[in-house]
């Protein structure tokens, strides 16, 4: 017997879930959704020191980019980019820790100035929790 897709569709008209049930189920799934929170480095046995740090050039993937007045400069391809640090900051949050101090993130981005780091964090709408050197910032993890 040859069955066509159309034939299968015609013969399977019974709905197992009503529209109302599907809505209920999707609400329940969304409500119970939890962010996967795994320690990626631990899982793959990678040492924190083995991670290449710095801002990656979005044009040629070279790193680290060099911070200039208002942008990042790639020393390999001369590309200039004002927002290249954003990806690096999310990488830090996902790989190492979403709670970060100015100095820790500055070291990761190869940024010398704590004021520049502060400005970058504020521009991303991240507010310090605590004061001065001890202040931590919570980087929101992408959903
Ligand atoms: Zn480049």
């Amino acid at each position: 017997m040859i069955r066509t897709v159309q034939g299968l569709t015609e013969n399977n008209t019974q709905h197992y879930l009503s529209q109302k049930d599907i809505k209920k189920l999707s609400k329940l799934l969304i409500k119970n959704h939890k962010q996967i929170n795994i320690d990626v480095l631990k899982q793959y046995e990678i040492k924190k020191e083995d991670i290449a740090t710095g801002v990656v050039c979005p044009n040629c993937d070279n790193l680290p980019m060099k911070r200039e007045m208002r942008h990042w400069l790639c020393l390999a391809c001369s590309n200039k980019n004002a927002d290249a640090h954003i990806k690096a900051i999310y990488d830090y949050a996902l790989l190492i820790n979403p709670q970060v101090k100015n100095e820790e993130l500055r070291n990761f981005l190869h940024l010398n100035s704590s004021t520049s780091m502060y400005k970058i964090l504020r521009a991303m709408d991240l507010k310090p929790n605590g004061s001065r050197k001890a202040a931590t910032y919570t980087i929101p993890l992408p959903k």
Side-chain angles (χ1 to χ4, degrees), residues 57-62 65 74-79:
C57 171
N59 188 48
C60 75
D61 289 337
N62 190 65
M65 291 183 95
C74 176
L75 300 175
C77 76
S78 304
N79 176 49

Side-chain angles (χ1 to χ4, degrees), residues 14-31:
Q14 191 176 352
H15 294 289
Y16 294 95
L17 287 172
S18 67
Q19 283 299 320
K20 202 177 156 191
D21 286 338
I22 292 170
K23 255 194 181 163
K24 249 194 206 168
L25 183 61
S26 58
K27 267 188 188 165
L28 197 67
L29 286 170
I30 292 167
K31 194 180 152 204

